[in-house]
């Protein structure tokens, strides 16, 4: 099977299934598909760092959570009519997604620049540990910060709004998430074939060589890390709106691990890998989870099998090795 | 002074008790091939690494085109025009030959921070990369992944990548290593042409090749320069003969 066909099949499945669920009036499955789309988006973000750049970030929960908390904080201020901060200029909260998204991505980017500058000087195991440490720092900070719910999390009483769309209706919110996923996939497909993508993929394979031709590795890696974080932060923002709730769990290392599992299950460095991975993960959770409490045991088996015998993930298994062009 | 490209003065580098580079001074002028020879462990590679920026010297100065480059990163030095080939081929293994060279041309022709335009549609980039592959006779193999190339072809690709940088100086670390006699012969001719473009600092163990190519030879032993001069004077230098050429004193 060609990779293009598989990608189309995955997308069709992701788009058609919730519409079917919508018509037979099963909103649970619509929200399941929405979760898949959002988590896939987070995975697409991580895949830029992990798959294209070879940066094994075990701290992407930081950006996912930042996206979520920005959304929750802005919404709670808007709903309580409290200004976010006041001083020389004041800023009020907002319930407009079109306003919240850029802020979430901006804050995610700022955090990524800071974390990236400190952690990209290391590589391998040290990089994994440093990114994990940063995410855990933010996790404990969010637990001990009482203003926004602390350990209990922060509810968003009304899902934020988008012009011309009733976001409270599951299928309409799904379409927003799905559209963002599609636009991002298209953007990343352009990115990976661009000059930047060329340098980034080369860096993953041979950093010394890339430096020797005059491309500074740190700049390219940092830019990729930041783009990766921004996409994951956007996913976090949508995730907060889906659940209408944010909690420190979004920052926990379980979240980082989950996002990484999507990428590995689907196929590291494959454009649609995280989509395939998120579909598999959520279906496992939904199907096995209704059958046994210990569904994660079977997920573990699946992951073990992929890592041992199907390195290219689901997409690699079905489509074979990546073509050289 | 106008034609001085590289000037190394009183360079020192130690690893613990080992003094790998001792008060080493060296120059490279336009149009010349300056060969660096010496037994294993003489400090040739350590020197090259200090010039390319992967090692920081303990003291001393490296001037490139009249500018001290001691504190520049390897990438910055390459951008200024310092091209190197590696002792052990260092390529982007999953990339095809063409993609490997495209990366170099891309680095030289401008920014790598273009996120949207597909590289395949960049005819100028592709075309230019192809001309360098033609120069080393690899154009027929352009779509083969670097990992699938033979050892000799990888060495050729290294040369193509150095050429694609259009550098001001070539630093070639044992370009002949492991090549067959025919390959060596071809490479000698190629290097002769290359030095018209930019001078070459050549580290090499293949003595006939060095004697055929070099305008100047510097002999290193224990991190020091033990002799420097033209081919004839080095060939006849007794100290060099015992240290390196394997002639009994």
């Amino acid at each position: 099977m060609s990779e293009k066909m598989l990608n189309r099949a995955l997308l069709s499945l992701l788009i058609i299934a919730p519409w079917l669920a919508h018509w037979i009036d099963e909103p649970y499955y619509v929200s399941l598909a929405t979760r898949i789309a959002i988590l896939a988006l987070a995975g697409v973000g991580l895949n830029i760092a992990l798959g294209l750049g070879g940066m094994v970030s075990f701290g992407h929960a930081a950006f996912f959570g930042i996206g979520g908390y920005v959304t929750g904080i802005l919404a709670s201020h808007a709903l309580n009519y409290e200004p976010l901060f006041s001083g020389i200029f004041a800023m009020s909260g907002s319930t407009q997604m079109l306003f919240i998204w850029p802020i979430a991505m901006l804050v995610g980017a700022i955090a990524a620049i800071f974390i990236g500058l400190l952690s990209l000087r290391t590589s391998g195991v040290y990089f994994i540990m440093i990114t994990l440490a940063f995410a855990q720092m933010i996790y404990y900070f969010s637990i001990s910060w009482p203003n926004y719910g602390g350990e209990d999390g922060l509810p968003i009483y009304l899902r934020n709004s988008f012009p011309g769309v009733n976001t409270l209706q599951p299928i309409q919110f799904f379409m927003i998430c799905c559209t963002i996923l599609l636009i991002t996939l298209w953007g990343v497909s352009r990115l990976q074939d661009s000059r930047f993508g060329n340098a980034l993929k080369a860096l993953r394979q041979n950093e010394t060589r890339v430096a020797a031709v005059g491309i500074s590795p740190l700049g390219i890696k940092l830019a990729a890390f930041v783009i990766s974080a921004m996409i994951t932060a956007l996913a976090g923002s949508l995730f907060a709106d889906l659940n209408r709730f944010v909690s420190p769990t979004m920052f926990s290392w379980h979240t980082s691990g989950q996002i990484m599992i999507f990428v590995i299950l689907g196929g590291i460095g494959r454009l649609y890998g995280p989509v395939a991975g998120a579909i598999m993960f959520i279906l496992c959770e939904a199907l096995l989870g209704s059958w046994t409490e210990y569904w994660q045991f079977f997920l573990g088996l699946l992951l073990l099998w992929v890592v041992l015998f199907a390195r290219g993930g689901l997409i690699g298994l079905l489509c074979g090795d990546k073509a050289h062009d | 002074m106008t034609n001085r490209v590289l000037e190394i003065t009183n360079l020192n580098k130690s690893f613990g008790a080992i003094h790998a580079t001792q008060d080493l001074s060296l120059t490279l002028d336009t149009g010349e091939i300056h060969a660096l020879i010496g037994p294993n462990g003489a400090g040739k590679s350590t020197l090259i690494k200090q010039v390319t920026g992967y090692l920081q010297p303990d003291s001393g100065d490296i001037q490139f085109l009249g500018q001290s480059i001691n504190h520049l990163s390897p990438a910055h030095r390459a951008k200024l025009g310092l091209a190197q080939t590696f002792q052990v081929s260092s390529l982007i293994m999953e990339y095809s030959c063409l993609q490997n060279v495209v990366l170099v041309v891309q680095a030289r022709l401008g920014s790598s921070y273009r996120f949207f335009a597909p590289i395949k549609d960049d005819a100028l980039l592709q075309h230019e990369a192809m001309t360098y592959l033609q120069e080393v006779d690899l154009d027929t193999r352009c779509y083969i992944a670097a990992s699938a190339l033979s050892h000799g072809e990888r060495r050729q690709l290294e040369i193509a990548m150095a050429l694609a940088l259009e550098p001001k100086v070539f630093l070639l670390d044992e370009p002949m290593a492991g090549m067959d006699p025919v390959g060596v012969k071809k490479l000698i001719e190629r290097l002769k042409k290359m030095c018209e473009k930019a001078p070459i600092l050549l580290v090499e163990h293949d003595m006939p090749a060095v004697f055929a190519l070099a305008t100047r030879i510097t002999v290193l032993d224990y991190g020091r320069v033990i002799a420097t001069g033209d081919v004839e004077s080095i060939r006849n230098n007794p100290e060099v003969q015992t240290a390196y050429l394997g002639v009994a004193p």
Side-chain angles (χ1 to χ4, degrees):
Chain A
M1 196 190 298
S2 84
E3 197 169 330
K4 252 189 188 153
M5 270 171 60
L6 179 66
N7 292 346
R8 285 197 192 123
L10 284 170
L11 267 192
S12 317
L13 177 72
L14 184 61
I15 295 169
I16 292 168
W19 278 101
L20 287 178
H22 176 66
W23 281 319
I24 58 170
D25 206 20
E26 286 276 6
Y28 168 69
Y29 291 104
V30 179
S31 80
L32 210 60
T34 314
R35 260 186 78 193
I36 291 177
I38 293 171
L39 294 177
L41 182 66
V44 170
L46 176 64
N47 207 16
I48 293 177
L50 175 63
L52 298 181
M55 294 171 265
V56 186
S57 165
F58 201 35
H60 260 50
F63 311 120
F64 194 66
I66 283 172
Y69 266 85
V70 165
T71 309
I73 290 170
L74 284 174
S76 79
H77 278 276
L79 293 171
N80 297 333
Y81 301 104
E82 290 170 330
L84 197 58
F85 52 82
S86 48
I88 302 168
F89 62 97
M91 184 177 165
S92 58
S94 171
T95 58
Q96 281 298 327
M97 288 183 184
L98 286 179
F99 178 78
I100 292 173
W101 292 340
I103 303 284
M105 289 166 78
L106 181 71
V107 178
I110 292 169
I113 290 173
F114 178 74
I115 295 177
L117 273 177
L118 289 169
S119 53
L120 285 171
R121 298 178 184 283
T122 65
S123 60
V125 174
Y126 301 101
F127 182 76
I128 299 176
M129 286 298 132
I130 283 195
T131 49
L132 172 66
F134 275 114
Q136 288 299 96
M137 263 166 58
I138 303 178
Y139 170 68
Y140 286 112
F141 178 73
S142 70
I143 283 183
S144 54
W145 197 23
N147 296 20
Y148 297 107
E151 210 165 348
D152 298 329
L154 181 66
I156 303 171
Y157 295 105
L158 263 178
R159 190 171 283 159
N160 294 308
S161 45
F162 189 92
V165 178
N166 177 8
T167 53
L168 285 173
Q169 220 203 352
I171 194 74
Q172 299 204 19
F173 183 60
F174 168 78
M175 286 313 288
I176 291 178
C177 297
C178 193
T179 308
I180 290 182
L181 176 64
L182 285 176
I183 292 172
T184 309
L185 282 170
W186 175 77
V188 175
S189 79
R190 302 280 299 206
L191 179 110
Q192 64 184 9
D193 293 331
S194 70
R195 283 179 176 223
F196 178 76
N198 196 35
L200 182 62
K201 287 182 287 180
L203 260 178
R204 184 190 71 229
Q205 301 170 55
N206 190 340
E207 197 166 323
T208 314
R209 171 46 91 179
V210 173
V213 304
I215 299 174
S216 175
L218 186 63
I220 298 281
K221 286 206 281 194
L222 186 63
F225 193 68
V226 170
I227 294 170
S228 163
M230 285 167 79
I231 295 173
T232 305
L234 179 59
S237 170
L238 293 171
F239 196 71
D241 258 331
L242 171 69
N243 301 324
R244 279 178 280 166
F245 178 66
V246 290
S247 76
T249 328
M250 286 182 83
F251 286 118
S252 85
W253 64 271
H254 295 94
T255 308
S256 295
Q258 253 187 32
I259 302 175
M260 202 181 282
I261 289 173
F262 305 145
V263 177
I264 295 171
L265 279 182
I268 295 169
R270 307 282 184 147
L271 182 58
Y272 279 71
V275 180
I279 291 177
M280 282 160 75
F281 187 94
I282 299 298
L283 287 185
C284 267
E285 188 185 48
L287 299 177
L288 293 173
S290 66
W291 171 60
T292 164
E293 211 177 311
Y294 306 107
W295 67 275
Q296 282 172 330
F297 171 76
F298 296 97
L299 180 76
L301 285 184
L302 179 67
L303 194 64
L304 202 61
W305 180 75
V306 165
V307 171
L308 287 177
F309 302 111
R311 281 289 182 79
L314 179 74
I315 294 183
L317 190 69
L318 295 177
C319 312
D321 281 342
K322 247 182 281 190
H324 294 289
D325 43 15
Chain B
M1 280 299 283
T2 47
N3 57 357
R4 180 122 313 160
V5 178
L6 198 63
E7 183 162 15
I8 299 168
T9 33
N10 300 326
L11 209 63
N12 277 289
K13 177 78 190 170
S14 304
F15 300 103
I18 298 164
H19 214 152
T21 309
Q22 285 190 53
D23 267 330
L24 195 148
S25 297
L26 195 98
T27 59
L28 184 70
D29 299 336
T30 41
E32 106 176 311
I33 297 183
H34 192 153
L36 210 55
I37 62 173
N40 288 327
K44 305 183 297 292
S45 289
T46 306
L47 176 63
I48 292 281
K49 278 185 186 145
Q50 290 173 83
V51 178
T52 50
Y54 291 102
L55 280 177
Q56 272 296 316
D58 297 336
S59 66
D61 191 32
I62 302 170
Q63 296 247 334
F64 178 54
L65 298 169
Q67 177 193 358
S68 174
I69 56 168
N70 258 2
H71 300 290
L72 302 180
S73 68
H76 199 147
R77 294 181 199 204
K79 198 95 187 148
L80 286 177
L82 249 146
Q84 63 170 323
T85 65
F86 292 84
Q87 190 175 359
V88 178
S89 295
S90 177
L91 304 164
I92 314 293
M93 284 300 176
E94 288 173 24
Y95 280 14
S96 66
C97 294
L98 188 61
Q99 283 175 310
N100 267 285
V101 184
V102 161
L103 184 72
V104 190
V105 181
Q106 152 185 344
R108 172 167 56 82
L109 282 185
S111 173
S112 288
Y113 293 93
R114 290 192 201 158
F115 300 90
F116 243 62
I119 217 163
K120 274 188 213 134
D121 300 346
D122 197 330
L124 178 76
L125 212 58
Q126 304 283 338
H127 174 78
E128 194 157 326
M130 203 58 159
T131 57
Y132 295 107
L133 282 180
Q134 274 160 2
E135 253 178 83
V136 300
D137 307 319
L138 267 182
D139 47 325
T140 52
R141 305 273 283 162
C142 65
Y143 296 117
I144 308 284
S147 57
L149 295 178
S150 71
H151 174 79
E153 288 171 326
R154 288 182 191 184
R155 304 305 294 172
Q156 280 166 276
L157 184 53
E158 285 259 344
I159 300 275
M161 290 174 85
L163 284 168
L165 207 57
E166 292 289 347
K168 307 281 186 348
V169 62
F170 291 103
L171 302 164
L172 309 183
D173 200 351
E174 298 193 29
M176 325 250 169
M179 296 255 280
D180 59 38
V182 182
V184 169
K185 223 173 186 178
K186 272 190 189 166
L187 192 54
I188 289 177
E189 293 311 309
R190 190 160 292 134
L191 294 190
K192 276 182 185 161
K193 266 194 234 156
M194 274 165 71
C195 84
E196 290 162 16
K197 288 187 177 178
I200 300 174
L201 188 63
L202 175 72
V203 173
E204 188 50 67
H205 278 303
D206 188 322
M207 278 307 118
V210 167
F211 288 142
L213 276 168
T215 30
R216 239 189 327 159
I217 300 178
T218 293
V219 190
L220 291 188
D221 200 11
Y222 297 109
R224 282 173 302 115
V225 174
I226 59 170
T228 183
D230 62 11
V231 173
E232 274 319 300
S233 70
I234 293 299
R235 213 198 288 258
N236 301 326
N237 184 319
E239 209 180 340
V240 175
Q241 289 179 343
T242 46
Y244 189 52
L245 296 178
V247 180

